[in-house]
């Protein structure tokens, strides 16, 4: 089986969020299970590209509406990744120092056309085309409807929705960007008066997956306008929980952290990393350390943080560290708390991969008050590192974190509200004081297997069902 994953992101090449982590890991575990799995993505002007050399395996021109663009399919000259990644190089459109911009329509439509044109000429056709999010959502439509790709329309196409909030909308006056198709079928592209790549992908893909079972159910009630479509297409939809790359996220071997540890020496390992964080950010290591890692946006519940943290920190019975960026107003409010709560609070605006690993290793608790969380990877990383998650019970958080009071190992609350967050943090502080129970729970969560092994096999079973069908 020859599986091609098509994505805008892939860690460690280009990562904006969880999409990059998934596409950087899932193919690797599929290969270990005996499936040929590759990734095709855009070539960006970034640190990874600058640090490596590439060679061309194919070159041609693509037509985008009235314009023609030369492009190449490149591969790395040296074997520096665990998976084979092919790069679509369209210098005028894709080779930028950013992954996304305000108007990505031309960029990602061209990317998808280049991929499909290349598939036409490839000697070894894909057995499965696995598309990820709206940036590749037009591929299922093009495979099914565009005349030039008729020879590809028997290849099963999977679409995975990582986040349905973003759908790639563009106006009908750009429909000529696409290769010719029967205009009577334009309804497959349209949703609510706009061309909607994610909706088109849902309509035309052979199967639609999401990154957790609960998120699949929630999408039928809240999907930024696509609720009725997903309900209608329910029979071909399935939720498969994301995993994590347990080789990258492994406290025993992690090169980013101060002291490596396993469940056997968790106490000394966590203590060493916590002491480093506390020294770096001006905390006392004797208090429970809470952390938030992520985008400071509404979907993540970040707008709740300033008010909640201000009330929690007034008692001075814990320390809190924030790593993230996003809404400027939230950033400013979080920055303004530093002087008021010096010694128990700090914030790092931005993102730092090394620091994120150190926080997972050194913090006692992780805050995830998300309003929307298709799967969530942060809570899985925190479990792997023995850091107890505090989550809102939604999406993948609901599937992966069971509350202490329900016989589980974390803390959850029903609403994305200040009151619910405050009560949950208070419960966690009380729990921290019960040292034997806290230590037992920390050791237990490190043993939970959230690697990609199970999920990768579920995807392979899905692929096989389509091939055999």
């Amino acid at each position: 089986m020859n599986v091609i994953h098509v994505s805008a992101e892939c860690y460690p090449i280009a990562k904006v969020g969880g999409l990059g982590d998934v596409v950087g890991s899932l193919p690797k575990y599929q290969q270990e299970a005996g499936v040929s799995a590759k990734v095709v993505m855009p070539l960006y002007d970034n640190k990874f590209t600058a640090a490596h050399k590439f060679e061309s395996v194919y070159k041609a021109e693509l037509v985008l509406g009235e314009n023609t663009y030369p492009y190449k399919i490149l591969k790395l000259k040296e074997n520096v990744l665990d998976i084979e990644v092919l790069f679509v190089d369209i210098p005028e459109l894709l080779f930028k120092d950013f992954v996304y911009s305000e108007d990505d329509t031309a960029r990602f439509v061209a990317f998808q056309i280049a991929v499909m044109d290349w598939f036409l000429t490839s000697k070894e056709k894909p057995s499965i085309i696995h598309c990820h999010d709206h940036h590749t959502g037009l591929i299922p439509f093009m495979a099914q409807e565009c005349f030039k790709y008729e020879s590809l329309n028997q290849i099963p196409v999977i679409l995975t929705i990582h986040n349905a909030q973003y759908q790639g909308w563009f106006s009908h006056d750009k429909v000529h960007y696409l290769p010719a198709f029967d205009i009577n079928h334009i309804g497959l592209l349209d949703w609510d008066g706009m061309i909607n790549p994610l909706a088109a992908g849902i309509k035309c893909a052979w199967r639609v997956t999401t990154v957790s079972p609960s998120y699949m159910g929630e999408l039928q009630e809240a999907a930024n306008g696509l609720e009725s479509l997903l309900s209608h297409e329910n029979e071909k939809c399935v939720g498969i929980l994301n995993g994590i790359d347990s080789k990258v996220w492994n406290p025993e071997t992690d090169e980013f952290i101060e002291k490596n540890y396993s469940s056997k020496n968790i106490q000394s390992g966590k203590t060493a990393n916590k002491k480093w964080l506390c020294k770096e950010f001006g905390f006392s290591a004797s208090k429970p350390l809470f952390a938030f890692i992520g985008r400071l946006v509404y979907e993540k519940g970040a707008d709740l943080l300033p008010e909640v943290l201000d009330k929690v920190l007034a008692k001075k019975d814990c320390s809190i560290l924030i790593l993230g960026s996003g809404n400027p107003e939230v950033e400013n409010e979080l920055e303004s708390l530093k002087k008021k709560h010096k010694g128990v609070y700090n914030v790092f605006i931005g993102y730092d991969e090394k620091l994120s690993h150190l926080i997972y290793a050194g913090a006692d608790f992780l805050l995830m008050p998300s309003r929307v969380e298709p799967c969530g990877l942060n809570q899985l990383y925190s479990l792997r590192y023995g850091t107890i998650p505090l989550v809102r019970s939604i999406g993948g958080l609901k599937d992966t974190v069971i509350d202490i009071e329900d016989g589980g190992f974390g803390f959850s609350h029903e609403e994305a509200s200040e009151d619910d967050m405050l009560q949950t943090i208070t419960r966690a502080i009380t729990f921290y004081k019960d040292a034997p129970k806290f230590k037992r729970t920390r050791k237990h969560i490190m043993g939970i297997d959230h690697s990609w092994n199970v999920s990768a096999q579920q995807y392979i079973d899905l692929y096989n069902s389509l091939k055999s069908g």
Side-chain angles (χ1 to χ4, degrees), residues 313-347:
L313 293 164
K315 298 179 181 179
K316 297 192 181 301
D317 54 2
C318 69
S319 301
I320 301 175
L321 176 61
I322 307 294
L323 168 63
S325 62
N327 185 305
E329 185 177 336
V330 174
E331 290 181 2
N332 292 335
E333 290 178 358
L334 291 172
E335 282 278 12
S336 69
L337 292 175
K338 287 168 70 172
K339 183 179 290 187
K340 184 176 180 180
H341 298 292
K342 188 176 181 181
V344 289
Y345 170 77
N346 216 322
V347 59

Side-chain angles (χ1 to χ4, degrees), residues 191-208:
W191 192 257
D192 198 22
M194 297 284 285
I195 303 298
N196 186 317
L198 188 64
I202 293 167
K203 293 173 187 178
C204 298
W206 292 36
R207 289 290 186 276
V208 176

Side-chain angles (χ1 to χ4, degrees), residues 274-285 287 289 319-321 341-346:
K274 183 177 181 179
K275 284 182 176 178
W276 184 93
L277 285 173
C278 290
K279 182 178 180 182
E280 183 74 11
F281 291 99
F283 303 144
S284 166
K287 296 178 180 179
L289 175 57
S319 301
I320 301 175
L321 176 61
H341 298 292
K342 188 176 181 181
V344 289
Y345 170 77
N346 216 322

